[in-house]
Amino acid sequence: RSPTITETQPFEGTIVFEQDPNQILDSLLPLYMNSQVLRAFQESVASELAARMNAMSSASDNAKDLTKSLSLTYNRRRQAKITGELIELVAGSN
């Protein structure tokens, strides 16, 4: 492909506003402030949700560890009880 060259008129350094610049600023400033407040609110909500997700992840990990620990304790006690009963049976059969 060959580049297409388009002739353009030189840019004039003056900008013509149809409205008074103060009137434009008065209408844009509230919109800008609204967008800034909305952005701050959205960041606050996102931060809260991230903290909640982190807390729930930690709680889930702790629950898994607790379940594993309790299961191990239960199985050890059950094994000890079974072993004690077997020892009583063997001792009683003599």
Side-chain angles (χ1 to χ4, degrees):
R1 285 183 149 181
S2 62
T4 304
I5 299 174
T6 306
E7 289 188 30
T8 58
Q9 295 181 1
F11 178 72
E12 293 181 22
T14 50
I15 298 174
V16 177
F17 292 101
E18 290 184 12
Q19 295 176 338
D20 181 38
N22 288 334
Q23 188 179 7
I24 294 172
L25 184 62
D26 287 343
S27 63
L28 288 179
L29 193 57
L31 294 174
Y32 174 75
M33 290 304 294
N34 279 343
S35 70
Q36 291 301 311
V37 169
L38 179 62
R39 184 178 61 85
F41 178 71
Q42 289 171 337
E43 287 179 0
S44 172
V45 169
S47 175
E48 180 186 356
L49 290 176
R52 284 184 182 189
M53 287 177 59
N54 192 13
M56 289 302 295
S57 177
S58 295
S60 295
D61 292 344
N62 290 340
K64 287 177 187 174
D65 291 343
L66 182 61
T67 302
K68 186 176 180 181
S69 173
L70 288 175
S71 183
L72 186 63
T73 302
Y74 171 76
N75 286 336
R76 283 184 180 163
R77 290 197 179 167
R78 185 174 56 87
Q79 179 104 25
K81 184 178 178 183
I82 291 171
T83 303
E85 289 177 1
L86 284 174
I87 289 173
E88 287 179 11
L89 284 174
V90 171
S93 66
N94 286 336

